[in-house]
Amino acid sequence: MADDRRLKVLSAIVTDYVRTREPVGSRALVERYRLGVSPATIRNDMAALEDEGYIHQPHTSAGRVPTEKGYRLFVDEVARIKPLSAPERRAITALLAGAVDLEQVVARTVRVLAQLTGQLAVVEYPSLRRTALRHLELVALGPTRVLLVIITDTGRVEQRTVSMPMGCAVDPLVLESLRTRMNAALAGRVAADVVPVLTRLAERVPEEERALLSSVADELIEALRPDGEERIVVAGTANLARSTPDFSSLGPLLDAVEEQVVLLRLFAEAPAPGRTPCSTTDAEMRVSIGSENHDDALAEASVVTAAYGAGAGTAVAHLGIIGPTRMDYPATMAAVRAVARYLSRFLTGTADTAP
C-alpha cells in the first residue's frame, strides 16, 4: 500500500511539474490532488521518494522535481496513454486525408505529429530493406545510361542512374526484355532475396542482356544494402527552441537533428512491434529518457518512437518525437501511437478509418 501511495505521489509531482514548470511542494499536492492521506504522510512519502532517487530538491526550501529515474518509473508504472480527444482525431484525419502518395502522407504526418505534441517530430520513410519490391522500371536516358526506378509495396519510389560499361550501348529491345525478366523474378521479393535471385537470373538471360543486367543489378543491390541511406523528415524544430529553459545546451541537440545520424541510430535501436525492452511501456512504442538515449546530445531529452508497417507485426519504419524530459508522456504517447496507426493504415489502403 505504501508503494502504491508513493506512486500516486510521484504521479502527482510529475503531472504538476510538467504543467507548471515549478518545483512541487507538499502543500501544492494537498491542495490540487486528492491523495486521501494527511499532509504529514505526503511529506514522508516525498522524503522516501527523494531518498530512492525519484525526485530531488533543486534549491533549498524549494519543492521537488522528478529525476530521470522518477520519469522512468512514472512512464513504466503510472502513465496510461490518454485517449485522443475528438478535435485531435479530426486534426489527424483532416491533415492526412487526401494524400495520394507516400511522399505526401509522410510530409503531412510529420507536420501533424509536431502540431499535436508541440515537440520535434521525426518520420522515417519505409525502409527499402524491410519492404518488398513491387515493380522495377528501366528507362533509357541516352546511348549509355539507364534510369532504374525502384517501387516498393509501401509506395516508396527510389531512382538510380545506371551507366553502361565502356563500349556497351543501350538497346531499347534488350532493355524492354530485361525489364520484363527482372519484374517477373523480383516482384514481391524482399531485399534479402534479391542477390540470390539476380545470381540465378544472370545464369539464364541471353548473352546480349548480361552486361545491362550486371550494371542494373549493381545499382539495385547498392540501393538495398543494409547500411544504405535511409530517409527521414523532420518538423517542429522551433518547438525545441521554445523549450530552451529545459535544455542547458540546445546547440548539440539541434546539430544532431540537422545531421540526422543520431536520429537514424535511434530508429535503428527501436524495436519492432512485439518486442518489449526495459524502456518500453507499450508493445507498439518505445520511450527512452535522458541517458537511455546513449548520446550526449540527447542527455536532457526524451524520445518517444513507434513502429509502423503494412501489416500486423510488420515494421517497415518508425516515427517519433523528441522533447524535454519534462513532457506530458501520456498525451505524447497517445499522439505518436495514433499517427503511427494511421500511417500503417495508409500503407494497407484502410486510412479512411478513424485513428
Side-chain angles (χ1 to χ4, degrees), residues 66-79:
T67 63
E68 181 180 306
K69 182 179 178 182
Y71 284 123
R72 178 79 272 156
L73 183 63
F74 173 77
V75 170
D76 287 344
E77 301 294 338
V78 180

Side-chain angles (χ1 to χ4, degrees), residues 66-182:
T67 63
E68 181 180 306
K69 182 179 178 182
Y71 284 123
R72 178 79 272 156
L73 183 63
F74 173 77
V75 170
D76 287 344
E77 301 294 338
V78 180
R80 297 293 179 266
I81 297 177
K82 296 178 182 176
L84 290 180
S85 66
E88 287 172 330
R89 291 195 300 271
R90 286 196 297 269
I92 294 176
T93 302
L95 286 170
L96 299 185
V100 298
D101 57 30
L102 186 66
E103 295 282 340
Q104 282 191 0
V105 79
V106 168
R108 295 184 185 189
T109 294
V110 74
R111 291 200 302 271
V112 73
L113 194 55
Q115 292 174 16
L116 285 176
T117 64
Q119 313 290 357
L120 174 82
V122 186
V123 178
E124 179 186 28
Y125 275 84
S127 170
L128 291 175
R129 296 179 288 109
R130 299 190 188 105
T131 53
L133 297 174
R134 175 185 293 171
H135 183 74
L136 297 177
E137 190 60 56
L138 299 176
V139 180
L141 297 178
T144 61
R145 291 195 306 153
V146 171
L147 178 66
L148 167 62
V149 183
I150 305 167
I151 305 172
T152 73
D153 61 350
T154 62
R156 179 169 175 177
V157 179
E158 286 291 315
Q159 298 182 2
R160 296 288 181 112
T161 300
V162 180
S163 296
M164 294 292 292
M166 186 173 296
C168 296
V170 178
D171 183 321
L173 294 179
V174 170
L175 189 66
E176 175 64 21
S177 175
L178 182 62
R179 183 190 67 80
T180 301
R181 293 181 195 276
M182 293 187 71

